[in-house]
Amino acid sequence: MVTRSADSGLQHRWRLPYLWDLLRSLVDRDMKLTYKRSVLGVAWTLINPLLQLLVFAFVFQIVLPVKIPQYASYVFAGLLSWNWFQTALYQATGVIISSRSLIRQPRFPVAILPIVTVTTGLIHFMLALPILIAFLLIDGIQLTPVILFLPILQLLQFAFTVSCAYFLAALNVTFRDTQHTLGVILQLFFYLTPIFYDLKAIPKEYWYIYALNPMVHIVTSYRQILMWGVPPDWMAIAIIAGFTAILWPLGYWLFKRQSHRFVEEL
Amino acid sequence: MRHAITVSNLSKGFKRYHTGKPTTFMEAMLSGLRQMQPIEQFWALQDVSFNVAPGEMLGIIGHNGAGKSTLLQLIGGVGYPDKGKIQVRGRVGALLDLGAGFHGDLTGRENVLVTAIVAGLTESEVKQRFDSIVEFAELKQFIDSPVRTYSTGMQMRLAFSVAVHTCPKVLLVDEFLSVGDLSFQAKCLQRIAELKEKGCAIVLISHSAEQIQELCDRALWLRQGQVVAYGEPEVVAGQYISEMRSQTQQRTPNRPAQLTDSGAELRINENRFGSLEMEITNVKLLPLDTIESGESLCVEIEYNAPQAIKSPIFSIAISQEDGQTCLDINTLDMQVPMTIVQGKGNLKLQIERLDLKQGNYFVDVGIYEKDWAYAYDFHWHTYLLTVNSSYSNKGILAPPMRWEINTLPVLRDLSMIN
């Protein structure tokens, strides 16, 4: 029998097959809970971005026309990526508060909680992907092999979102309005990310500030590989990856500390 | 012997914050982060050491806030000790807030799957044990209905069943035995005994000294994070109970003797004990304080609580003059719902028949703090009850009874012949 001290006591929960089962069952539960009581069920995943697309198409093609070729594909690619980021980050921020009974379970690997939320978002993204491909084909876009970089981009966005979520969820324990504030900030950042307008419209003197938003590059990279058939901007991707590599362990440590503090003090 | 749990010199500190500590960004900005600093640190647990061997059951006793739950959480790996060490061998199961992890919209089946995996089983292990989990919970017909249609009892049965089917080597139990219906409790206790026999180490939290005495092999008494006593349950529980009595004496304020409305004299620390945060203003024995054996008796307690008191326990005992207790009951054990009590009021215990032998009895009445921590007001040997009977009796009971004598018919026949 192995002796475990307090510090290494969590080890037996770190068997990969177990964690995989845990992740799957929690994601499965999230999916079921989201759609259990709605008539349309999982179709909402598709209807929501389609309705958004419809509004943007109306406003920016008919009311205030902007000159972006293949506008439907352009907007839809942006929306899928952004919606994943926004929804997952927002939900994951409240995850410590809403998972009290899970965190109290002996040796529950708390760090999995934001990963569950972001994975659920990824599944919605994947479900909507065929619609995006359909738009691309209707818009007459030729799919090229660079589309195979898609998993790399998704992995990057996944890791970036989880890292941010660790910090924000930890902060939400101390300041309970973090989630609320985040909702407002995300709405602002929606406009500071090239979802429905052209990146080239950003004047050069603002670019250096504008480009600090990692989502600008992530959204653009999706379009590069899906629509324009060019490899993504590796430089930007490397910077975001490096940034995430520093952020993740820090956020992870903070998240674990705060989630234990949260259940201890109530 | 290899211990399943070894806790050595464990200390855990918490920071106490200003009551006005901002809880939102906006407040933090306005107060300029000044109040974010902790104002003091206190030890929730201090230098706690004990072992639990496989197959052993340790009871942890103490008042609310003594650090019992913190200790249980630390053993379960939630949070980190500030000093000292905790070693736990094998899978840890927990019976903490049973059923809290369930989602009402999911079916019993779906909930079992998630809960069991969360408790540490892999998916294939859950599938193997699924039928036996459902069978133990006696929920076969309902397993595919949403959990929101379950009664609380059903949810607890299911949660308990999942927890014990993870085959833990260490089981942490937080005061659950006081909830649920009796047959469920009995079943749980039996299951826990089975686990114990198989070598599972169990830690049980309770504030009931009797429960600890009854179930545990060892007991640990915590007061303000420190171990007061550790050892044989009888000894520890006995010490705990006598401490509670002296606590009550210490808390009893000085006050001149006073009379109740019906004329009984109350003298502090002689026949009256308690903090007097809540007072018994009068006790009436109805219809009279002299009854015939087998008649009904009503004990009416009039009380006054100047401040709101949460869930006090009312207790009534009838004892003989030599101290032999004939009846000792309270509102907590009889599950009389008590909420917050404030102001004046009264409470009656209606005894349908009192089948006591003839003699003089004392009716002792008390009001206690919701965890039995100390008495608010306890009147001891103040109210006299006299029971009359047409015959004398050397025991305690005098139930309705009669002799039946069957005369032998043979004798009668013989006399007829004569």
Side-chain angles (χ1 to χ4, degrees):
Chain A
M1 233 194 277
V2 192
T3 304
R4 291 186 202 89
S5 69
D7 325 82
S8 60
L10 298 164
Q11 266 171 7
H12 99 125
R13 282 297 185 85
W14 286 107
R15 291 168 298 140
L16 275 178
Y18 171 71
L19 286 182
W20 174 240
D21 280 357
L22 182 64
L23 178 66
R24 268 189 338 167
S25 69
L26 289 174
V27 168
D28 185 48
R29 184 189 71 171
D30 269 11
M31 297 287 291
K32 280 184 182 139
L33 282 174
T34 317
Y35 297 115
K36 202 79 179 182
R37 282 193 180 177
S38 76
V39 186
L40 292 169
V42 93
W44 275 116
T45 310
L46 311 176
I47 295 168
N48 184 31
L50 282 173
L51 287 174
Q52 279 178 289
L53 175 62
L54 203 66
V55 172
F56 285 123
F58 171 72
V59 175
F60 295 106
Q61 295 290 284
I62 296 166
V63 184
L64 299 163
V66 291
K67 283 199 183 61
I68 297 177
Q70 295 135 347
Y71 191 70
S73 300
Y74 185 90
V75 172
F76 203 71
L79 276 176
L80 282 195
S81 161
W82 175 263
N83 282 354
W84 175 24
F85 177 73
Q86 171 167 353
T87 315
L89 194 60
Y90 183 79
Q91 286 174 357
T93 297
V95 88
I96 294 181
I97 312 282
S98 63
S99 309
R100 190 174 146 70
S101 65
L102 289 181
I103 299 170
R104 269 169 62 93
Q105 281 292 323
R107 298 181 176 174
F108 180 77
V110 284
I112 207 168
L113 290 170
I115 296 180
V116 169
T117 314
V118 180
T119 306
T120 309
L122 176 61
I123 290 174
H124 291 152
F125 184 112
M126 296 307 284
L127 287 173
L129 205 57
I131 309 269
L132 176 61
I133 304 285
F135 272 113
L136 294 176
L137 295 176
I138 292 166
D139 277 338
I141 290 162
Q142 197 84 47
L143 295 178
T144 63
V146 286
I147 201 171
L148 296 175
F149 288 131
L150 183 66
I152 295 181
L153 281 185
Q154 288 176 320
L155 187 70
L156 179 73
Q157 187 179 345
F158 188 97
F160 174 68
T161 314
V162 171
S163 308
C164 295
Y166 278 148
F167 272 101
L168 291 166
L171 193 64
N172 197 42
V173 172
T174 314
F175 299 117
R176 295 297 163 86
D177 61 344
T178 303
Q179 198 178 23
H180 180 76
T181 313
L182 178 73
V184 178
I185 291 174
L186 279 172
Q187 215 164 14
L188 298 179
F189 267 85
F190 175 78
Y191 294 97
L192 293 175
T193 307
I195 312 281
F196 56 86
Y197 55 84
D198 194 350
L199 200 56
K200 293 187 200 84
I202 305 294
K204 216 170 176 181
E205 60 266 39
Y206 294 110
W207 173 251
Y208 295 100
I209 291 177
Y210 184 83
L212 287 178
N213 172 9
M215 284 309 288
V216 169
H217 308 285
I218 292 178
V219 166
T220 307
S221 297
Y222 279 113
R223 289 190 183 123
Q224 281 169 326
I225 63 163
L226 290 169
M227 294 178 65
W228 305 327
V230 293
D233 180 354
W234 291 116
M235 187 62 188
I237 286 186
I239 291 172
I240 297 172
F243 177 61
T244 303
I246 299 167
L247 207 63
W248 180 296
L250 272 175
Y252 171 79
W253 174 79
L254 198 67
F255 179 83
K256 220 160 132 180
R257 222 193 75 176
Q258 288 291 81
S259 53
H260 284 167
R261 238 198 61 195
F262 172 67
V263 289
E264 273 170 2
E265 289 192 355
L266 274 181
Chain B
M1 186 164 36
R2 297 184 68 91
H3 292 292
I5 306 172
T6 310
V7 173
S8 40
N9 307 99
L10 172 72
S11 295
K12 173 79 189 175
F14 284 130
K15 293 180 177 72
R16 207 192 304 273
Y17 291 90
H18 208 273
T19 44
K21 184 196 171 195
T23 53
T24 65
F25 266 134
M26 293 301 271
E27 285 170 25
M29 295 298 181
L30 293 174
S31 65
L33 296 173
R34 260 174 292 117
Q35 295 179 335
M36 293 299 288
Q37 296 301 318
I39 47 174
E40 61 170 323
Q41 173 148 14
F42 69 99
W43 292 102
L45 290 170
Q46 220 173 340
D47 206 21
V48 175
S49 304
F50 61 87
N51 305 310
V52 188
E56 197 180 41
M57 187 155 175
L58 173 77
I60 300 179
I61 197 165
H63 298 314
N64 281 354
K68 291 175 296 179
S69 300
T70 307
L71 182 55
L72 209 64
Q73 282 189 343
L74 286 172
I75 297 171
V78 179
Y80 306 96
D82 288 319
K83 286 182 201 156
K85 242 169 127 178
I86 303 174
Q87 289 185 315
V88 180
R89 291 196 181 86
R91 182 181 274 154
V92 185
L95 300 172
L96 317 162
D97 34 48
L98 281 179
F102 285 162
H103 274 270
D105 283 342
L106 299 181
T107 65
R109 182 185 299 276
E110 289 161 344
N111 270 307
V112 165
L113 190 70
V114 175
T115 318
I117 291 178
V118 164
L121 297 181
T122 60
E123 198 178 327
S124 59
E125 284 174 315
V126 181
K127 288 198 167 133
Q128 276 169 22
R129 295 170 201 197
F130 187 82
D131 289 338
S132 107
I133 290 175
V134 176
E135 197 183 318
F136 182 84
E138 298 164 20
L139 287 171
K140 200 157 191 162
Q141 303 139 267
F142 306 102
I143 200 64
D144 287 308
S145 322
V147 162
R148 79 183 118 85
T149 63
Y150 287 22
S151 68
T152 322
M154 287 159 82
Q155 288 191 26
M156 300 226 314
R157 257 159 39 206
L158 196 57
F160 182 88
S161 183
V162 171
V164 292
H165 278 86
T166 56
C167 297
K169 283 276 154 228
V170 170
L171 184 68
L172 310 175
V173 186
D174 191 354
E175 205 108 46
F176 86 105
L177 297 165
S178 55
V179 284
D181 58 277
L182 281 175
S183 62
F184 170 66
Q185 279 183 25
K187 201 169 171 182
C188 291
L189 284 173
Q190 202 203 332
R191 188 72 194 201
I192 287 176
E194 280 171 36
L195 281 173
K196 217 180 114 175
E197 243 162 64
K198 284 186 201 153
C200 176
I202 301 167
V203 180
L204 166 80
I205 279 187
S206 182
H207 55 237
S208 152
E210 291 98 55
Q211 201 173 57
I212 299 270
Q213 226 167 322
E214 220 171 282
L215 299 171
C216 301
D217 305 308
R218 288 222 229 174
L220 179 86
W221 170 15
L222 279 181
R223 184 174 53 205
Q224 288 163 2
Q226 287 173 317
V227 178
V228 183
Y230 172 47
E232 289 298 311
E234 288 79 20
V235 179
V236 175
Q239 281 176 296
Y240 177 77
I241 291 167
S242 63
E243 151 95 2
M244 192 185 111
R245 291 215 184 98
S246 73
Q247 274 255 349
T248 301
Q249 257 180 25
Q250 277 170 23
R251 283 174 187 268
T252 307
N254 272 324
R255 204 193 268 192
Q258 64 189 88
L259 295 175
T260 65
D261 297 347
S262 41
E265 192 180 12
L266 295 170
R267 293 174 307 276
I268 298 289
N269 277 341
E270 283 179 40
N271 68 349
R272 178 179 216 187
F273 305 91
S275 64
L276 302 185
E277 283 161 78
M278 179 169 175
E279 285 182 55
I280 300 173
T281 51
N282 198 12
V283 174
K284 281 189 223 156
L285 303 179
L286 301 168
L288 282 171
D289 57 8
T290 305
I291 62 166
E292 284 294 317
S293 177
E295 281 186 343
S296 69
L297 178 73
C298 172
V299 183
E300 182 180 333
I301 302 172
E302 289 172 18
Y303 60 81
N304 182 20
Q307 274 131 37
I309 303 269
K310 204 178 159 215
S311 319
I313 305 167
F314 287 82
S315 155
I316 293 178
I318 299 178
S319 60
Q320 291 174 351
E321 284 176 303
D322 63 5
Q324 174 76 49
T325 309
C326 304
L327 177 80
D328 188 354
I329 48 130
N330 62 68
T331 50
L332 185 71
D333 286 348
M334 290 178 75
Q335 295 182 3
V336 180
M338 281 285 164
T339 48
I340 291 168
V341 174
Q342 187 166 20
K344 289 184 181 172
N346 72 67
L347 176 131
K348 286 179 195 167
L349 173 71
Q350 192 76 50
I351 305 170
E352 300 301 334
R353 26 181 325 138
L354 197 59
D355 293 320
L356 289 173
K357 71 155 182 178
Q358 66 169 4
N360 291 329
Y361 295 86
F362 287 115
V363 179
D364 298 335
V365 293
I367 310 178
Y368 293 83
E369 197 265 348
K370 66 176 177 10
D371 298 324
W372 296 107
Y374 56 89
Y376 293 127
D377 197 357
F378 174 56
H379 297 182
W380 181 76
H381 286 201
T382 309
Y383 308 104
L384 198 67
L385 171 72
T386 307
V387 178
N388 289 324
S389 169
S390 48
Y391 53 87
S392 80
N393 170 349
K394 294 191 183 68
I396 297 175
L397 285 177
M401 54 191 172
R402 63 199 150 91
W403 296 97
E404 263 181 36
I405 303 167
N406 295 318
T407 36
L408 295 170
V410 181
L411 290 171
R412 211 178 292 160
D413 289 351
L414 278 175
S415 62
M416 294 260 300
I417 292 169
N418 274 344

